[in-house]
Amino acid sequence: MPLVSMRQLLDEAAKGGYGVGAFNVNDMEQIQAIMMAAKETKSPVIVQASRGARQFAEDLYLFRLIEAAAELNPEIPIAMHQDHGNSFETCKSAIELGFTSVMMDGSLKSDGKTPSTFEENVEVTRKVVDFAHERGVTVEGEIGVLGGVEDGHGAGGSGLDHITDPDQAVEFAERTGVDALAIAIGTSHGAYKFTKKPDGSVLKMDILIAIHKRLPKTHLVMHGSSSVPKDLQDIVNKYGGKLKETWGVPVEEIQLGIRNGVRKINVDTDNRLAITGAIRKVLWETPEKFDPRDYLKPAREAMKAVVALRMTQFGQAGHAGDYKPVSIEEIAKGYKDGSLSTRPLVASK
Ligand code: 13P
C-alpha cells in the first residue's frame, strides 16, 4: 500500500471512535517493531520522525526504510509524519521527501525553545497549510506549549506552564485550517512528567472536552502521552540503570481523551524505555556477548510488545482493513474544493 494521508487515517478513526498511536522512529529496528505490532493487531499506524531523528538516520535512509515498511505490509495503512517541525523549511523538506503529514509546531520560535506569539504561530502555520494542502499533505499545528524537551526540542518546564486557551484554539483553527491540533493540557515530553500518579485534577481534561465541542472537525492530538510504566522503569534500573521514580499519563486518561476527539496519541518514551531495558538485560546477564543482534532482537521484541499493547488500548487494533487508501492527489482536490475543510463555521461556546 502506498503511504496514506494522515488526514484520511484520522477521519476514519473519528468515524470509528478510536485513536491512532503515533510512534517515533530513528532506525530500522524501531520501524520493524512498529510494523510487527501493526501486523499482529491489524492496525493502521502513524510513524513519525523528529528533526533529530531525520538528522540521526539521514533523510534518505529513513524514508527508504518507511517505503520498505509500506511495500512489505500492503494491508497496513501507514502515514509518515514530521514530528515537531520548527519552521516552514523543515516541513517543506519533509513534504518534498514524501512524508504524508507534517507538524508545524509554531508554538515555539524556530530555535525550538522560545515560546512564540499567537500571531507568529498563526502566520507560519498558515504558510505550511497552504503549501501542504496544495500537495494533499496533512498538517498538525500546536496551540499552547507542551512541557519538557525531546530531541532538543521543547520549552522545558512543566506541562502546566502554558495550558491551551479554548478561545485561542478556535481562532487558531479558523485562521490556519489545520487538520489536527496538538493542545497543551498538562502533558510533557520525556520520562519525567509527574512526581505522583496524575488524576483528573492534574491533567486538564475539561479543557480538552471544551475544545472538542467547539472544534468537532479538527482532530485533537495528545503529545507527551507515554505512560512510563513502572515495570519498564524497573527493568532498566534492575540492570544497572539509574532512573528516578516518575509517572506518565495514565492510559485511562488517554482513553477519556479518545472519547472526546483525541485521534492521534504521541508515544516515544515508553518505547525508548522498553528498548533500553531489553539491551541492558542482555548485556548485564551475558557480558561476553558482542553481536549486536543478540541485544537488538530482544530490544525490537520489547518495543513491539509496548506498541501492540498501545494499539489495542487506543482502539486502532482491527481497523487496518476498514478502508482503501485515497490518493494524495484526491486528498489535494478535497482541500481545494473545500470538502475537507475543518474550519469551525459554527463555533458555538
Ligand atoms: P513521550 O515523551 O511522552 O513519549 O511523548 C512523545 C511525543 O509527544 C513526541 O512528539
Side-chain angles (χ1 to χ4, degrees):
M1 192 182 284
L3 293 176
V4 176
S5 141
M6 186 170 88
R7 174 63 189 274
Q8 186 190 6
L9 225 118
L10 299 183
D11 283 352
E12 291 290 339
K15 273 191 234 161
Y18 58 90
V20 183
F23 303 102
N24 288 76
V25 295
N26 303 279
D27 60 29
M28 182 183 75
E29 288 77 8
Q30 289 177 309
I31 294 170
Q32 289 176 323
I34 295 169
M35 295 319 299
M36 283 154 64
K39 207 178 168 95
E40 183 179 285
T41 61
K42 300 186 174 46
S43 299
V45 70
I46 301 164
V47 178
Q48 59 185 10
S50 65
R51 271 187 302 143
R54 285 177 57 189
Q55 258 166 23
F56 172 81
E58 293 187 46
D59 277 353
L60 202 53
Y61 281 118
L62 193 68
F63 194 69
R64 291 279 199 266
L65 286 168
I66 296 295
E67 285 185 323
E71 203 174 317
L72 292 170
N73 299 276
E75 73 287 12
I76 306 289
I78 310 172
M80 182 64 208
H81 176 75
Q82 165 78 55
D83 192 22
H84 290 287
N86 64 321
S87 64
F88 174 76
E89 287 69 29
T90 299
C91 294
K92 181 170 179 275
S93 66
I95 293 167
E96 286 168 349
L97 193 58
F99 284 37
T100 55
S101 179
V102 291
M103 174 185 196
M104 177 59 235
D105 179 1
S107 72
L108 300 175
K109 292 182 188 285
S110 60
D111 66 3
K113 290 180 176 50
T114 318
S116 60
T117 65
F118 180 73
E119 288 303 323
E120 285 167 338
N121 192 355
V122 168
E123 192 183 325
V124 68
T125 306
R126 192 163 47 196
K127 190 171 167 194
V128 171
V129 169
D130 287 346
F131 184 84
H133 281 185
E134 224 179 285
R135 291 156 181 81
V137 171
T138 312
V139 181
E140 172 185 339
E142 176 168 325
I143 186 78
V145 183
L146 285 147
V149 179
E150 190 195 27
D151 276 357
H153 183 102
S158 145
L160 294 163
D161 290 346
H162 304 276
I163 295 292
T164 303
D165 167 2
D167 287 334
Q168 272 200 349
V170 174
E171 187 182 339
F172 184 80
E174 181 67 53
R175 288 175 62 189
T176 61
V178 287
D179 303 275
L181 186 60
I183 54 173
I185 53 163
T187 64
S188 53
H189 293 124
Y192 299 105
K193 301 183 195 302
F194 304 108
T195 49
K196 64 179 176 62
K197 185 174 172 176
D199 55 23
S201 66
V202 175
L203 285 171
K204 305 288 175 207
M205 299 310 283
D206 51 334
I207 291 200
L208 184 149
I209 292 167
I211 293 174
H212 176 53
K213 282 211 178 102
R214 295 174 63 187
L215 293 176
K217 291 200 236 164
T218 309
H219 302 297
L220 299 183
V221 183
M222 271 177 81
H223 278 247
S225 289
S226 276
S227 299
V228 199
K230 178 143 172 29
D231 57 334
L232 293 182
Q233 297 179 44
D234 288 348
I235 295 173
V236 172
N237 285 340
K238 182 170 173 196
Y239 298 105
K242 282 203 165 60
L243 295 172
K244 289 175 280 174
E245 193 173 37
T246 179
W247 277 265
V249 181
V251 170
E252 313 85 77
E253 297 293 332
I254 297 171
Q255 288 168 334
L256 173 62
I258 293 170
R259 290 196 293 280
N260 289 282
V262 170
R263 299 292 157 231
K264 174 173 180 275
I265 304 106
N266 284 16
V267 175
D268 187 6
T269 296
D270 285 353
N271 292 326
R272 293 179 174 196
L273 289 172
I275 290 168
T276 300
I279 292 176
R280 278 191 173 280
K281 183 170 188 295
V282 173
L283 296 181
W284 183 273
E285 287 179 342
T286 46
E288 69 282 7
K289 291 206 162 154
F290 61 91
D291 181 340
R293 288 171 297 184
D294 287 336
Y295 51 84
L296 292 180
K297 209 167 163 219
R300 191 172 60 184
E301 278 299 325
M303 173 163 164
K304 182 212 132 188
V306 172
V307 173
L309 179 63
R310 295 288 176 268
M311 285 172 161
T312 307
Q313 292 166 327
F314 299 161
Q316 73 208 80
H319 288 287
D322 288 2
Y323 49 94
K324 296 235 172 317
V326 175
S327 72
I328 293 292
E329 293 73 27
E330 275 307 305
I331 297 276
K333 279 189 210 154
Y335 288 127
K336 197 163 179 214
D337 67 22
S339 57
L340 285 178
S341 173
T342 52
R343 285 191 161 85
L345 294 176
V346 192
S348 56
K349 288 200 185 185

PDB file of all heavy atoms in Angstrom, residues 24 48 83-84 150 188-191 193 222-226 266-270, ligand 1:
ATOM      1  N   ASN A  24       7.439   7.291  17.430  1.00  0.00           N
ATOM      2  CA  ASN A  24       8.663   7.897  16.889  1.00  0.00           C
ATOM      3  C   ASN A  24       9.673   6.833  16.468  1.00  0.00           C
ATOM      4  O   ASN A  24       9.815   5.812  17.135  1.00  0.00           O
ATOM      5  CB  ASN A  24       9.312   8.815  17.934  1.00  0.00           C
ATOM      6  CG  ASN A  24       8.511  10.069  18.134  1.00  0.00           C
ATOM      7  OD1 ASN A  24       7.479  10.061  18.782  1.00  0.00           O
ATOM      8  ND2 ASN A  24       8.963  11.158  17.564  1.00  0.00           N
ATOM      9  N   GLN A  48       6.357   8.460  12.981  1.00  0.00           N
ATOM     10  CA  GLN A  48       6.792   9.850  12.937  1.00  0.00           C
ATOM     11  C   GLN A  48       8.274   9.997  13.251  1.00  0.00           C
ATOM     12  O   GLN A  48       8.856   9.210  13.993  1.00  0.00           O
ATOM     13  CB  GLN A  48       5.949  10.734  13.847  1.00  0.00           C
ATOM     14  CG  GLN A  48       5.937  10.369  15.314  1.00  0.00           C
ATOM     15  CD  GLN A  48       4.979  11.240  16.117  1.00  0.00           C
ATOM     16  OE1 GLN A  48       4.176  12.003  15.542  1.00  0.00           O
ATOM     17  NE2 GLN A  48       5.060  11.171  17.429  1.00  0.00           N
ATOM     18  N   ASP A  83       7.420  15.022  13.020  1.00  0.00           N
ATOM     19  CA  ASP A  83       7.076  15.420  14.389  1.00  0.00           C
ATOM     20  C   ASP A  83       7.783  16.749  14.706  1.00  0.00           C
ATOM     21  O   ASP A  83       8.975  16.899  14.428  1.00  0.00           O
ATOM     22  CB  ASP A  83       7.568  14.305  15.336  1.00  0.00           C
ATOM     23  CG  ASP A  83       7.033  14.440  16.752  1.00  0.00           C
ATOM     24  OD1 ASP A  83       5.989  15.104  16.933  1.00  0.00           O
ATOM     25  OD2 ASP A  83       7.651  13.865  17.671  1.00  0.00           O
ATOM     26  N   HIS A  84       7.052  17.703  15.258  1.00  0.00           N
ATOM     27  CA  HIS A  84       7.608  18.990  15.691  1.00  0.00           C
ATOM     28  C   HIS A  84       8.493  19.695  14.669  1.00  0.00           C
ATOM     29  O   HIS A  84       9.662  20.005  14.947  1.00  0.00           O
ATOM     30  CB  HIS A  84       8.390  18.836  17.008  1.00  0.00           C
ATOM     31  CG  HIS A  84       7.496  18.558  18.172  1.00  0.00           C
ATOM     32  ND1 HIS A  84       6.675  19.504  18.741  1.00  0.00           N
ATOM     33  CD2 HIS A  84       7.279  17.412  18.846  1.00  0.00           C
ATOM     34  CE1 HIS A  84       5.989  18.956  19.720  1.00  0.00           C
ATOM     35  NE2 HIS A  84       6.324  17.679  19.801  1.00  0.00           N
ATOM     36  N   GLU A 150      12.317  17.219  24.045  1.00  0.00           N
ATOM     37  CA  GLU A 150      12.545  15.932  23.382  1.00  0.00           C
ATOM     38  C   GLU A 150      13.422  16.186  22.170  1.00  0.00           C
ATOM     39  O   GLU A 150      13.119  17.046  21.355  1.00  0.00           O
ATOM     40  CB  GLU A 150      11.208  15.316  22.933  1.00  0.00           C
ATOM     41  CG  GLU A 150      11.379  13.888  22.474  1.00  0.00           C
ATOM     42  CD  GLU A 150      10.187  13.365  21.704  1.00  0.00           C
ATOM     43  OE1 GLU A 150       9.468  14.160  21.085  1.00  0.00           O
ATOM     44  OE2 GLU A 150       9.997  12.149  21.715  1.00  0.00           O
ATOM     45  N   SER A 188       3.812  16.471  29.147  1.00  0.00           N
ATOM     46  CA  SER A 188       5.118  16.977  28.718  1.00  0.00           C
ATOM     47  C   SER A 188       5.908  15.821  28.119  1.00  0.00           C
ATOM     48  O   SER A 188       5.639  14.659  28.401  1.00  0.00           O
ATOM     49  CB  SER A 188       5.868  17.593  29.894  1.00  0.00           C
ATOM     50  OG  SER A 188       5.932  16.666  30.949  1.00  0.00           O
ATOM     51  N   HIS A 189       6.901  16.174  27.311  1.00  0.00           N
ATOM     52  CA  HIS A 189       7.725  15.132  26.681  1.00  0.00           C
ATOM     53  C   HIS A 189       8.697  14.528  27.691  1.00  0.00           C
ATOM     54  O   HIS A 189       9.078  15.173  28.648  1.00  0.00           O
ATOM     55  CB  HIS A 189       8.532  15.742  25.524  1.00  0.00           C
ATOM     56  CG  HIS A 189       7.668  16.189  24.381  1.00  0.00           C
ATOM     57  ND1 HIS A 189       7.685  17.466  23.897  1.00  0.00           N
ATOM     58  CD2 HIS A 189       6.775  15.514  23.634  1.00  0.00           C
ATOM     59  CE1 HIS A 189       6.836  17.557  22.882  1.00  0.00           C
ATOM     60  NE2 HIS A 189       6.259  16.395  22.706  1.00  0.00           N
ATOM     61  N   GLY A 190       9.109  13.293  27.430  1.00  0.00           N
ATOM     62  CA  GLY A 190      10.167  12.682  28.238  1.00  0.00           C
ATOM     63  C   GLY A 190       9.626  11.816  29.362  1.00  0.00           C
ATOM     64  O   GLY A 190       8.413  11.643  29.519  1.00  0.00           O
ATOM     65  N   ALA A 191      10.551  11.262  30.151  1.00  0.00           N
ATOM     66  CA  ALA A 191      10.154  10.312  31.205  1.00  0.00           C
ATOM     67  C   ALA A 191       9.631  11.014  32.453  1.00  0.00           C
ATOM     68  O   ALA A 191       8.804  10.470  33.182  1.00  0.00           O
ATOM     69  CB  ALA A 191      11.346   9.428  31.575  1.00  0.00           C
ATOM     70  N   LYS A 193       7.428  13.299  33.846  1.00  0.00           N
ATOM     71  CA  LYS A 193       6.230  14.118  33.627  1.00  0.00           C
ATOM     72  C   LYS A 193       5.603  14.549  34.944  1.00  0.00           C
ATOM     73  O   LYS A 193       5.265  15.698  35.155  1.00  0.00           O
ATOM     74  CB  LYS A 193       5.191  13.328  32.820  1.00  0.00           C
ATOM     75  CG  LYS A 193       5.693  12.868  31.450  1.00  0.00           C
ATOM     76  CD  LYS A 193       4.581  12.155  30.702  1.00  0.00           C
ATOM     77  CE  LYS A 193       5.083  11.356  29.521  1.00  0.00           C
ATOM     78  NZ  LYS A 193       5.809  12.125  28.509  1.00  0.00           N
ATOM     79  N   MET A 222      -2.759  14.356  21.378  1.00  0.00           N
ATOM     80  CA  MET A 222      -2.132  14.368  22.703  1.00  0.00           C
ATOM     81  C   MET A 222      -0.656  14.030  22.551  1.00  0.00           C
ATOM     82  O   MET A 222      -0.310  12.921  22.162  1.00  0.00           O
ATOM     83  CB  MET A 222      -2.799  13.345  23.634  1.00  0.00           C
ATOM     84  CG  MET A 222      -3.993  13.916  24.397  1.00  0.00           C
ATOM     85  SD  MET A 222      -4.835  12.672  25.420  1.00  0.00           S
ATOM     86  CE  MET A 222      -3.776  12.633  26.867  1.00  0.00           C
ATOM     87  N   HIS A 223       0.184  15.018  22.829  1.00  0.00           N
ATOM     88  CA  HIS A 223       1.633  14.775  22.850  1.00  0.00           C
ATOM     89  C   HIS A 223       2.023  14.307  24.252  1.00  0.00           C
ATOM     90  O   HIS A 223       1.214  14.342  25.174  1.00  0.00           O
ATOM     91  CB  HIS A 223       2.383  16.073  22.529  1.00  0.00           C
ATOM     92  CG  HIS A 223       2.471  16.340  21.068  1.00  0.00           C
ATOM     93  ND1 HIS A 223       3.653  16.319  20.382  1.00  0.00           N
ATOM     94  CD2 HIS A 223       1.514  16.607  20.157  1.00  0.00           C
ATOM     95  CE1 HIS A 223       3.421  16.570  19.111  1.00  0.00           C
ATOM     96  NE2 HIS A 223       2.130  16.766  18.940  1.00  0.00           N
ATOM     97  N   GLY A 224       3.273  13.922  24.383  1.00  0.00           N
ATOM     98  CA  GLY A 224       3.790  13.562  25.706  1.00  0.00           C
ATOM     99  C   GLY A 224       2.927  12.511  26.374  1.00  0.00           C
ATOM    100  O   GLY A 224       2.668  12.562  27.568  1.00  0.00           O
ATOM    101  N   SER A 225       2.486  11.516  25.590  1.00  0.00           N
ATOM    102  CA  SER A 225       1.478  10.587  26.124  1.00  0.00           C
ATOM    103  C   SER A 225       2.020   9.213  26.486  1.00  0.00           C
ATOM    104  O   SER A 225       1.272   8.243  26.529  1.00  0.00           O
ATOM    105  CB  SER A 225       0.328  10.459  25.130  1.00  0.00           C
ATOM    106  OG  SER A 225      -0.397  11.663  25.144  1.00  0.00           O
ATOM    107  N   SER A 226       3.311   9.137  26.756  1.00  0.00           N
ATOM    108  CA  SER A 226       3.827   7.876  27.281  1.00  0.00           C
ATOM    109  C   SER A 226       3.297   7.679  28.689  1.00  0.00           C
ATOM    110  O   SER A 226       3.122   8.642  29.443  1.00  0.00           O
ATOM    111  CB  SER A 226       5.357   7.887  27.295  1.00  0.00           C
ATOM    112  OG  SER A 226       5.843   7.508  26.023  1.00  0.00           O
ATOM    113  N   ASN A 266       0.779  10.628  20.747  1.00  0.00           N
ATOM    114  CA  ASN A 266       2.222  10.508  20.517  1.00  0.00           C
ATOM    115  C   ASN A 266       2.917   9.727  21.624  1.00  0.00           C
ATOM    116  O   ASN A 266       2.795  10.079  22.811  1.00  0.00           O
ATOM    117  CB  ASN A 266       2.846  11.901  20.473  1.00  0.00           C
ATOM    118  CG  ASN A 266       2.564  12.624  19.183  1.00  0.00           C
ATOM    119  OD1 ASN A 266       1.665  12.238  18.429  1.00  0.00           O
ATOM    120  ND2 ASN A 266       3.333  13.655  18.906  1.00  0.00           N
ATOM    121  N   VAL A 267       3.649   8.708  21.225  1.00  0.00           N
ATOM    122  CA  VAL A 267       4.361   7.873  22.199  1.00  0.00           C
ATOM    123  C   VAL A 267       5.790   7.636  21.710  1.00  0.00           C
ATOM    124  O   VAL A 267       5.996   7.129  20.609  1.00  0.00           O
ATOM    125  CB  VAL A 267       3.642   6.508  22.365  1.00  0.00           C
ATOM    126  CG1 VAL A 267       4.447   5.588  23.279  1.00  0.00           C
ATOM    127  CG2 VAL A 267       2.226   6.708  22.906  1.00  0.00           C
ATOM    128  N   ASP A 268       6.739   8.013  22.524  1.00  0.00           N
ATOM    129  CA  ASP A 268       8.153   7.770  22.220  1.00  0.00           C
ATOM    130  C   ASP A 268       8.868   7.176  23.448  1.00  0.00           C
ATOM    131  O   ASP A 268       9.495   6.124  23.393  1.00  0.00           O
ATOM    132  CB  ASP A 268       8.802   9.104  21.796  1.00  0.00           C
ATOM    133  CG  ASP A 268      10.234   8.921  21.305  1.00  0.00           C
ATOM    134  OD1 ASP A 268      10.682   7.764  21.180  1.00  0.00           O
ATOM    135  OD2 ASP A 268      10.913   9.928  21.044  1.00  0.00           O
ATOM    136  N   THR A 269       8.723   7.856  24.584  1.00  0.00           N
ATOM    137  CA  THR A 269       9.476   7.472  25.789  1.00  0.00           C
ATOM    138  C   THR A 269       9.255   6.012  26.188  1.00  0.00           C
ATOM    139  O   THR A 269      10.216   5.313  26.545  1.00  0.00           O
ATOM    140  CB  THR A 269       9.089   8.413  26.960  1.00  0.00           C
ATOM    141  OG1 THR A 269       9.509   9.731  26.608  1.00  0.00           O
ATOM    142  CG2 THR A 269       9.749   8.003  28.259  1.00  0.00           C
ATOM    143  N   ASP A 270       8.024   5.535  26.144  1.00  0.00           N
ATOM    144  CA  ASP A 270       7.762   4.140  26.553  1.00  0.00           C
ATOM    145  C   ASP A 270       8.589   3.167  25.705  1.00  0.00           C
ATOM    146  O   ASP A 270       9.112   2.170  26.222  1.00  0.00           O
ATOM    147  CB  ASP A 270       6.274   3.788  26.405  1.00  0.00           C
ATOM    148  CG  ASP A 270       5.427   4.412  27.509  1.00  0.00           C
ATOM    149  OD1 ASP A 270       6.010   4.990  28.447  1.00  0.00           O
ATOM    150  OD2 ASP A 270       4.186   4.325  27.415  1.00  0.00           O
TER     151      ASP A 270
HETATM  152  P1  13P B   1       6.557  10.954  25.204  1.00  0.00           P
HETATM  153  O1  13P B   1       7.890  11.528  25.607  1.00  0.00           O
HETATM  154  O2  13P B   1       5.573  11.018  26.335  1.00  0.00           O
HETATM  155  O3  13P B   1       6.667   9.603  24.641  1.00  0.00           O
HETATM  156  O4  13P B   1       5.965  11.896  24.075  1.00  0.00           O
HETATM  157  C1  13P B   1       6.402  11.802  22.741  1.00  0.00           C
HETATM  158  C2  13P B   1       5.878  12.912  21.912  1.00  0.00           C
HETATM  159  O5  13P B   1       4.952  13.621  22.263  1.00  0.00           O
HETATM  160  C3  13P B   1       6.529  13.130  20.594  1.00  0.00           C
HETATM  161  O6  13P B   1       6.086  14.301  19.961  1.00  0.00           O
END
